[in-house]
Coordinates of all heavy atoms in Angstrom, one line a residue:
K1 N 0.8 22.0 -4.6 CA -0.2 22.9 -4.2 C 0.3 24.3 -3.8 O -0.4 25.2 -3.7 CB -1.1 22.3 -3.1 CG -0.4 22.2 -1.7 CD -1.4 21.6 -0.7 CE -0.8 21.6 0.6 NZ -1.7 21.1 1.6
G2 N 1.6 24.4 -3.6 CA 2.2 25.7 -3.3 C 1.7 26.2 -2.0 O 1.7 25.5 -1.0
G3 N 1.3 27.4 -1.9 CA 0.8 28.0 -0.7 C -0.7 27.9 -0.5 O -1.2 28.2 0.6
S4 N -1.4 27.3 -1.4 CA -2.9 27.1 -1.3 C -3.2 25.9 -0.4 O -2.4 25.1 -0.1 CB -3.5 27.0 -2.6 OG -3.1 25.8 -3.3
I5 N -4.4 25.9 0.0 CA -4.9 24.8 0.9 C -5.3 23.5 0.1 O -5.0 22.5 0.6 CB -6.1 25.3 1.7 CG1 -5.7 26.5 2.6 CG2 -6.7 24.2 2.5 CD1 -6.8 27.1 3.3
T6 N -5.8 23.7 -1.1 CA -6.3 22.5 -1.8 C -5.4 22.2 -3.0 O -4.6 23.0 -3.4 CB -7.7 22.8 -2.3 OG1 -7.7 23.9 -3.2 CG2 -8.7 23.0 -1.2
L7 N -5.5 21.0 -3.4 CA -4.7 20.5 -4.6 C -5.6 20.7 -5.9 O -6.8 20.7 -5.8 CB -4.4 19.0 -4.5 CG -3.4 18.6 -3.5 CD1 -3.4 17.1 -3.3 CD2 -2.0 19.0 -3.9
N8 N -4.9 20.9 -7.0 CA -5.7 21.0 -8.3 C -6.0 19.5 -8.7 O -5.6 18.6 -8.0 CB -4.9 21.7 -9.3 CG -3.6 21.1 -9.6 OD1 -3.2 20.1 -9.1 ND2 -2.8 21.8 -10.5
S9 N -6.7 19.4 -9.8 CA -7.1 18.0 -10.2 C -5.9 17.1 -10.6 O -5.9 15.9 -10.2 CB -8.0 18.1 -11.4 OG -7.4 18.7 -12.5
Q10 N -4.9 17.7 -11.2 CA -3.7 16.8 -11.5 C -3.0 16.4 -10.2 O -2.5 15.3 -10.1 CB -2.8 17.6 -12.4 CG -3.2 17.5 -13.8 CD -2.1 18.1 -14.8 OE1 -1.3 18.9 -14.3 NE2 -2.2 17.7 -16.0
G11 N -2.9 17.3 -9.3 CA -2.3 17.0 -8.0 C -3.0 15.9 -7.2 O -2.4 15.0 -6.6
K12 N -4.4 16.0 -7.3 CA -5.2 15.0 -6.6 C -5.0 13.6 -7.3 O -4.9 12.6 -6.7 CB -6.6 15.4 -6.7 CG -7.0 16.5 -5.7 CD -8.5 16.8 -5.8 CE -8.8 18.0 -5.0 NZ -10.2 18.4 -5.2
A13 N -5.0 13.6 -8.6 CA -4.8 12.4 -9.4 C -3.4 11.8 -9.1 O -3.2 10.6 -8.9 CB -4.9 12.6 -10.9
G14 N -2.4 12.7 -9.1 CA -1.0 12.2 -8.8 C -0.9 11.6 -7.4 O -0.3 10.6 -7.1
L15 N -1.6 12.3 -6.4 CA -1.6 11.8 -5.0 C -2.3 10.4 -4.9 O -1.8 9.5 -4.3 CB -2.2 12.8 -4.1 CG -2.2 12.5 -2.6 CD1 -0.8 12.4 -2.1 CD2 -3.0 13.6 -1.8
L16 N -3.4 10.3 -5.6 CA -4.2 9.1 -5.6 C -3.4 7.9 -6.3 O -3.3 6.8 -5.7 CB -5.5 9.3 -6.3 CG -6.4 8.1 -6.4 CD1 -7.0 7.8 -5.0 CD2 -7.5 8.3 -7.4
L17 N -2.8 8.2 -7.5 CA -2.1 7.1 -8.2 C -0.8 6.7 -7.4 O -0.6 5.5 -7.3 CB -1.7 7.6 -9.5 CG -2.8 7.7 -10.6 CD1 -2.2 8.4 -11.8 CD2 -3.3 6.4 -10.9
S18 N -0.1 7.7 -6.8 CA 1.1 7.3 -6.0 C 0.7 6.6 -4.8 O 1.4 5.6 -4.4 CB 1.8 8.6 -5.7 OG 2.2 9.3 -6.9
S19 N -0.3 7.0 -4.1 CA -0.7 6.3 -2.9 C -1.2 4.9 -3.2 O -0.9 3.9 -2.5 CB -1.9 7.0 -2.2 OG -1.4 8.3 -1.8
A20 N -2.0 4.7 -4.3 CA -2.4 3.4 -4.7 C -1.2 2.5 -5.1 O -1.2 1.3 -4.7 CB -3.4 3.5 -5.9
G21 N -0.2 3.1 -5.8 CA 1.0 2.3 -6.1 C 1.7 1.9 -4.9 O 2.2 0.7 -4.8
L22 N 1.8 2.7 -3.9 CA 2.5 2.4 -2.7 C 1.8 1.3 -1.9 O 2.4 0.3 -1.4 CB 2.7 3.6 -1.8 CG 3.4 3.4 -0.5 CD1 4.9 3.1 -0.7 CD2 3.3 4.7 0.4
V23 N 0.5 1.4 -1.8 CA -0.3 0.4 -1.1 C -0.3 -0.9 -1.8 O -0.1 -2.0 -1.1 CB -1.8 0.9 -0.9 CG1 -2.7 -0.2 -0.4 CG2 -1.8 2.1 0.1
L24 N -0.4 -0.9 -3.1 CA -0.4 -2.1 -3.9 C 1.0 -2.8 -3.7 O 1.0 -4.1 -3.6 CB -0.7 -1.9 -5.3 CG -0.8 -3.1 -6.2 CD1 -1.9 -4.0 -5.8 CD2 -1.0 -2.7 -7.7
T25 N 2.0 -2.1 -3.8 CA 3.4 -2.7 -3.7 C 3.6 -3.3 -2.3 O 4.1 -4.4 -2.2 CB 4.4 -1.6 -3.9 OG1 4.3 -1.0 -5.2 CG2 5.8 -2.1 -3.8
V26 N 3.2 -2.6 -1.2 CA 3.3 -3.1 0.1 C 2.4 -4.4 0.3 O 2.9 -5.4 0.9 CB 3.0 -2.0 1.2 CG1 2.8 -2.6 2.5 CG2 4.0 -0.9 1.1
L27 N 1.2 -4.4 -0.2 CA 0.3 -5.5 -0.1 C 0.9 -6.8 -0.9 O 0.8 -7.9 -0.4 CB -1.1 -5.2 -0.7 CG -1.9 -4.4 0.2 CD1 -3.3 -4.1 -0.4 CD2 -2.2 -5.1 1.5
I28 N 1.5 -6.5 -2.1 CA 2.1 -7.6 -2.8 C 3.2 -8.3 -2.0 O 3.3 -9.5 -1.9 CB 2.5 -7.2 -4.2 CG1 1.3 -6.9 -5.1 CG2 3.5 -8.2 -4.8 CD1 1.7 -6.3 -6.5
Y29 N 4.0 -7.5 -1.5 CA 5.2 -8.0 -0.7 C 4.8 -8.6 0.6 O 5.5 -9.6 1.0 CB 6.3 -7.0 -0.6 CG 7.0 -6.9 -1.9 CD1 6.7 -6.0 -2.9 CD2 8.0 -7.8 -2.2 CE1 7.3 -6.0 -4.1 CE2 8.7 -7.8 -3.4 CZ 8.3 -6.9 -4.4 OH 8.9 -6.9 -5.6
I30 N 3.8 -8.1 1.2 CA 3.3 -8.8 2.4 C 2.7 -10.2 2.1 O 3.0 -11.2 2.8 CB 2.2 -7.9 3.1 CG1 2.9 -6.8 3.8 CG2 1.4 -8.7 4.2 CD1 2.0 -5.7 4.4
C31 N 2.0 -10.3 1.0 CA 1.4 -11.5 0.5 C 2.5 -12.5 0.2 O 2.5 -13.7 0.5 CB 0.5 -11.3 -0.7 SG -1.1 -10.5 -0.2
V32 N 3.6 -12.1 -0.5 CA 4.7 -12.9 -0.9 C 5.4 -13.4 0.4 O 5.7 -14.6 0.5 CB 5.7 -12.2 -1.8 CG1 7.0 -13.0 -1.9 CG2 5.1 -12.0 -3.2
L33 N 5.6 -12.6 1.3 CA 6.2 -13.0 2.6 C 5.4 -14.0 3.3 O 5.9 -15.0 3.9 CB 6.5 -11.7 3.5 CG 7.2 -12.0 4.8 CD1 8.6 -12.5 4.5 CD2 7.3 -10.7 5.6
L34 N 4.1 -13.7 3.4 CA 3.2 -14.7 4.1 C 3.2 -16.0 3.4 O 3.2 -17.1 4.0 CB 1.8 -14.1 4.2 CG 1.6 -13.0 5.2 CD1 0.2 -12.4 5.1 CD2 2.0 -13.4 6.6
F35 N 3.2 -16.0 2.0 CA 3.3 -17.3 1.3 C 4.6 -18.0 1.6 O 4.5 -19.3 1.8 CB 3.2 -17.0 -0.2 CG 3.4 -18.2 -1.1 CD1 2.4 -19.1 -1.2 CD2 4.6 -18.4 -1.7 CE1 2.6 -20.2 -2.0 CE2 4.8 -19.5 -2.5 CZ 3.8 -20.4 -2.7
V36 N 5.7 -17.4 1.6 CA 7.0 -18.0 1.9 C 6.9 -18.6 3.4 O 7.4 -19.7 3.6 CB 8.1 -17.0 1.8 CG1 9.4 -17.6 2.4 CG2 8.4 -16.8 0.3
I37 N 6.4 -17.9 4.3 CA 6.3 -18.3 5.7 C 5.4 -19.6 5.8 O 5.8 -20.6 6.4 CB 5.8 -17.2 6.6 CG1 6.9 -16.2 6.7 CG2 5.4 -17.8 8.0 CD1 6.5 -14.9 7.5
F38 N 4.2 -19.5 5.2 CA 3.3 -20.6 5.4 C 3.6 -21.8 4.5 O 3.4 -23.0 4.9 CB 1.8 -20.2 5.1 CG 1.3 -19.3 6.2 CD1 0.8 -18.0 5.8 CD2 1.3 -19.7 7.5 CE1 0.3 -17.2 6.8 CE2 0.8 -18.8 8.5 CZ 0.3 -17.6 8.1
Y39 N 4.1 -21.6 3.3 CA 4.4 -22.7 2.4 C 5.7 -23.4 2.7 O 5.8 -24.6 2.6 CB 4.3 -22.2 0.9 CG 4.4 -23.3 -0.1 CD1 3.2 -24.1 -0.3 CD2 5.5 -23.6 -0.8 CE1 3.3 -25.1 -1.3 CE2 5.6 -24.6 -1.7 CZ 4.4 -25.4 -2.0 OH 4.5 -26.4 -2.9
Y40 N 6.7 -22.6 2.9 CA 8.1 -23.2 3.1 C 8.5 -23.2 4.6 O 9.5 -23.7 5.0 CB 9.1 -22.4 2.4 CG 9.0 -22.5 0.9 CD1 8.5 -21.4 0.1 CD2 9.3 -23.6 0.2 CE1 8.4 -21.5 -1.2 CE2 9.2 -23.7 -1.1 CZ 8.7 -22.7 -1.9 OH 8.6 -22.8 -3.2
G41 N 7.7 -22.6 5.5 CA 8.0 -22.6 6.9 C 9.0 -21.5 7.3 O 9.5 -21.5 8.4
G42 N 9.2 -20.6 6.4 CA 10.1 -19.4 6.7 C 11.1 -19.3 5.6 O 11.2 -20.0 4.6
I43 N 12.0 -18.3 5.8 CA 13.0 -18.0 4.9 C 14.0 -19.2 4.8 O 14.5 -19.5 3.7 CB 13.8 -16.7 5.3 CG1 12.8 -15.6 5.3 CG2 14.9 -16.4 4.3 CD1 12.2 -15.2 4.0
D44 N 14.3 -19.8 5.9 CA 15.3 -21.0 5.9 C 14.7 -22.1 5.0 O 15.5 -22.8 4.3 CB 15.6 -21.4 7.3 CG 16.4 -20.4 8.1 OD1 17.1 -19.6 7.4 OD2 16.3 -20.4 9.3
G45 N 13.5 -22.4 5.1 CA 12.9 -23.5 4.3 C 12.9 -23.1 2.9 O 13.1 -24.0 2.0
F46 N 12.7 -21.8 2.5 CA 12.8 -21.4 1.2 C 14.2 -21.6 0.6 O 14.4 -22.1 -0.5 CB 12.3 -19.9 1.1 CG 12.4 -19.4 -0.3 CD1 11.5 -19.7 -1.3 CD2 13.4 -18.5 -0.6 CE1 11.6 -19.2 -2.6 CE2 13.5 -18.0 -1.9 CZ 12.6 -18.3 -2.9

């Protein structure tokens, strides 16, 4: 965005896609960690 206050349409799309990718990645790994904890009883059980 440089010195301006708002983002252009490509900047908004990039911010949205990157944020969605980050959130999806974190959610996937939280789900995997919870699965390992509940199914195997933790990392040692795995």
Side-chain angles (χ1 to χ4, degrees):
K1 70 180 184 176
S4 63
I5 296 174
T6 60
L7 289 168
N8 60 0
S9 60
Q10 281 187 336
K12 288 178 186 176
L15 185 63
L16 180 70
L17 287 171
S18 298
S19 299
L22 181 65
V23 168
L24 184 62
T25 302
V26 169
L27 283 177
I28 287 173
Y29 280 94
I30 287 174
C31 290
V32 167
L33 182 64
L34 289 175
F35 174 77
V36 167
I37 289 172
F38 289 125
Y39 189 76
Y40 294 107
I43 301 295
D44 292 333
F46 178 74

